[in-house]
């Protein structure tokens, strides 16, 4: 009998230990939640920096695309590289949202539920344990009284005493079973917390894994770029075509040797100095004609000279009319062609 | 003759346009460099947030691992998930460094070289063009003089005149070839810039792709976690073993029903209230015995109850000696076991 009593106490102690574990776990969950929130806000600012970086990257790609025949193929591959990274950035954005909306916010809601459930488990168990103990105590007292009566020899109390002792024994066994059930409930509650957590976590990791699909597309573009740039000292056919085409054109270009500069420009001011002393008048067509054929086939590895003939060669030569240089309009046309490329998508 | 002269002018104009493109490109490269630097510094702070997040994540995993039989399998899988993310974080760190050291810093050095080279190309071309023009002018003047002399009928100057005109023609053809070479040099210089850029870029993208290798390892862990938590309402065999083992043990646990609390604890203070009113005295062994078998086989999907028997069941029961509860020592043992797991590595 004493052993069952001890076992009930041990089961009760185990139950309490599990419940206490759960109760002492809140700072750990809250710390997790706080650190995930911090990571989320960091990822958000990183995404903004990535967007700005990719815009700058696209400008480099546009510059290569809008060059005079030597780097259009490279520009096209760089544009694809940039667009793939925009997709990765989109997935990162998705992941960042999932971290907050799929994990942190629902976890905080669960935490409140968990606190209530653990308190209720604890309270119910204490009440039930106390009730069982009191019932056993009362029955035991009855048994002791009967034993005293029996010792005084008043009538045959043996069957009554046996029945009372059996009752106490049954109550102990019932209590043991009740305590085992309480331990199981506590273990299940503890485990179900992790199950909930993992369900939330999985939704985030699934989005994280989806970023992988985007990264796998980078390798072919890296290979393209490697192939295109493996010999920096060799011009592509498109470049020679630009020179050849010039012969048949109506000479829309002209050149006058620059007058001697007023002072030797310092290296830092070289670009400004160059643009102010440059006597070149650029034909109008080259600045405003978007490379439409390129936009329709951004994956084409080598440019077809007949289609990609620089715009200025098929545009009317107007430089004799002393038009102001249109260099300032170039960024607008660049972004227009970039927008066209973006609409086409990385295919 | 006039057509060759015009073509030389057109080639000179094309050369100048290419050089001007290069000179006007610096703001684009500098913007790229600035945005990459910004992204780099954002990534660095994100990595710090990720490290803090993973530390908090590991604490959740440790909590599951150190539970009383119901969630050790889950804790082991969560630890693997955490360690994989530490590898991803390591790769992200590598990528972040590569962005700065492999791309931004060398690009800034190149930018200075590019400025010098473009200025030199421009200067050399202008000098050469002027020299050629002057030589042609001088020769043409000679021809005009000879023509005047010939018109005045002084002797037979025909062979001399033909030779002089041939010289002018040769000089024009030479100048045309020189101008073509200048255009090629400019195109090559422009293209070589992108080749340099792409070489730098590739080193970064290669590291980026290497992150992929880490992400692919996440799926098996997600699958493990899904399997382990698919039925939150069913206890694993290890949990039942804890209850069974209690019977054969020396009853190191005890439980007394708590005295009625002085006031109903508010939900917010539930955890503190619970720990202060808890009469449980935990046996010493359970807090200080690290789960060594788990550390040696973190991939083992289901715990073997005989090996993973909770520490307190094989430790001497000392709670009768009224030792103070050792709950405060638990974090130390948690981090020790976590360190052990980390040393073992995700295998």
């Amino acid at each position: 009998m004493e052993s069952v009593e001890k076992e009930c106490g041990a089961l009760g102690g185990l139950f309490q230990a599990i419940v206490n574990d759960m109760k002492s776990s809140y700072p750990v969950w809250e710390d997790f939640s706080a650190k995930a929130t911090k990571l989320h806000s960091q990822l958000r600012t990183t995404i903004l920096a990535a967007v700005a970086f990719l815009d700058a990257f696209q400008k480099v790609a546009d510059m290569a695309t809008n060059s005079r025949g030597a780097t259009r193929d490279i520009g096209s591959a760089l544009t694809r590289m940039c667009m793939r990274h925009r997709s990765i950035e989109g997935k990162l954005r998705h992941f960042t949202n999932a971290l907050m909306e799929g994990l942190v916010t629902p976890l905080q809601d669960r935490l409140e539920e968990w606190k209530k459930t653990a308190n209720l488990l604890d309270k119910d168990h204490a009440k039930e344990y106390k009730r069982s103990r009191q019932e056993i105590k009362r029955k035991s007292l009855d048994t002791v009284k009967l034993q005293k009566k029996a010792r005084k020899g008043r009538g045959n109390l043996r069957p009554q005493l046996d029945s009372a002792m059996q009752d106490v024994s049954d109550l102990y066994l019932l209590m043991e079973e009740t305590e085992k059930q309480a331990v199981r409930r506590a273990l299940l509650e503890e485990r179900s917390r992790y199950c909930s957590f993992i369900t939330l976590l999985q939704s985030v990791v699934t989005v994280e894994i989806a970023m992988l699909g985007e990264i796998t597309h980078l390798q072919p573009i890296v290979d393209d770029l490697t192939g295109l740039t493996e010999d920096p000292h060799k011009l592509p056919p498109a470049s020679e075509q630009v020179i050849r085409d010039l012969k048949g054109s109506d000479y829309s270009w002209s050149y006058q040797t620059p007058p001697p500069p007023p002072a030797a420009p310092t290296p830092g001011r070289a670009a400004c100095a160059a643009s102010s002393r440059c006597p070149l008048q650029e034909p109008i067509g080259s600045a405003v004609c978007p490379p439409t054929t390129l936009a329709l086939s951004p994956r084409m590895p080598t440019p077809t000279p007949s289609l990609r003939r620089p715009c200025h060669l098929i545009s009317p030569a107007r430089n004799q009319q002393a038009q102001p240089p249109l260099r300032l309009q170039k960024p607008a046309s660049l972004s227009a062609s970039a927008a066209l490329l973006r609409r086409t998508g990385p295919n």
Side-chain angles (χ1 to χ4, degrees), chain A residues 25-296:
Chain A
S25 74
Y26 304 131
V28 176
W29 292 111
E30 272 151 15
D31 181 50
F32 176 85
S33 184
K35 296 293 159 53
T37 305
K38 188 79 206 297
L39 179 62
H40 169 259
S41 87
Q42 271 305 327
L43 284 170
R44 277 170 64 99
T45 45
T46 299
I47 287 167
L48 294 181
V51 168
F53 170 76
L54 290 176
D55 286 346
F57 190 107
Q58 184 61 57
K59 278 181 200 147
V60 170
D62 286 347
M63 205 161 65
T65 305
N66 290 282
S67 80
R68 291 162 212 285
T71 57
R72 292 185 178 213
D73 45 357
I74 293 174
S76 160
L78 284 177
T79 296
R80 275 185 288 131
M81 178 67 95
C82 188
M83 284 191 293
R84 274 293 158 205
H85 276 92
R86 282 195 201 276
S87 300
I88 294 170
E89 176 244 302
K91 289 278 156 61
L92 182 63
R93 200 181 283 268
H94 194 179
F95 169 74
T96 304
N97 289 342
L99 188 65
M100 201 65 195
E101 289 158 24
L103 181 57
V104 176
T105 310
L107 186 65
Q108 280 165 345
D109 295 344
R110 300 284 158 95
L111 218 54
E112 291 310 308
E113 287 169 32
W114 292 351
K115 283 177 184 171
K116 282 180 201 153
T117 310
N119 282 339
L120 197 68
L121 267 180
D122 198 11
K123 209 171 134 193
D124 287 353
H125 171 258
K127 217 196 292 180
E128 180 69 21
Y129 194 92
K130 207 170 174 179
R131 203 193 53 73
S132 300
R133 292 281 303 172
Q134 279 169 345
E135 204 176 341
I136 288 170
K137 209 174 169 183
R138 203 170 50 240
K139 274 281 172 199
S140 298
L141 225 64
D142 290 354
T143 319
V144 170
K145 278 180 195 162
L146 276 171
Q147 277 174 325
K148 275 184 190 168
K149 275 187 194 170
R151 240 178 274 127
K152 286 176 186 166
R154 290 186 200 157
N156 186 13
L157 292 169
R158 195 74 229 167
Q160 215 179 328
L161 187 63
D162 282 354
S163 159
M165 283 176 79
Q166 186 60 45
D167 281 357
V168 172
S169 173
D170 286 353
L171 281 174
Y172 265 122
L173 289 174
L174 187 68
M175 186 180 176
E176 188 190 348
E177 200 42 55
T178 308
E179 282 303 299
K180 274 188 188 168
Q181 281 303 335
V183 168
R184 284 192 194 103
R185 262 200 306 280
L187 286 171
L188 267 179
E189 172 60 18
E190 190 180 31
R191 188 176 172 88
S192 78
R193 289 181 172 193
Y194 290 100
C195 291
S196 301
F197 171 66
I198 284 161
T199 305
L200 301 177
L201 184 71
Q202 274 169 341
S203 69
V204 181
V205 179
T206 302
V207 179
E208 190 183 3
I209 291 172
M211 281 198 284
L212 164 150
E214 293 302 324
I215 294 180
T216 50
H217 291 107
L218 292 180
Q219 192 59 56
I221 306 177
V222 170
D223 295 344
D224 278 6
L225 284 170
T226 308
L228 288 170
T229 60
E230 63 188 349
D231 190 358
H233 306 294
K234 199 171 148 256
L235 283 174
S239 302
E240 284 299 323
Q241 192 64 34
V242 170
I243 297 171
R244 268 197 299 278
D245 285 352
L246 203 62
K247 209 178 181 89
S249 77
D250 49 7
Y251 301 123
S252 55
W253 297 96
S254 70
Y255 180 73
Q256 296 147 17
T257 50
T266 58
R269 288 170 52 222
C272 322
S275 63
S276 63
R277 72 185 173 87
C278 165
L280 176 79
Q281 288 173 350
E282 198 174 344
I284 287 167
S286 71
V288 291
C289 170
T292 41
T293 54
L294 185 68
L296 293 172

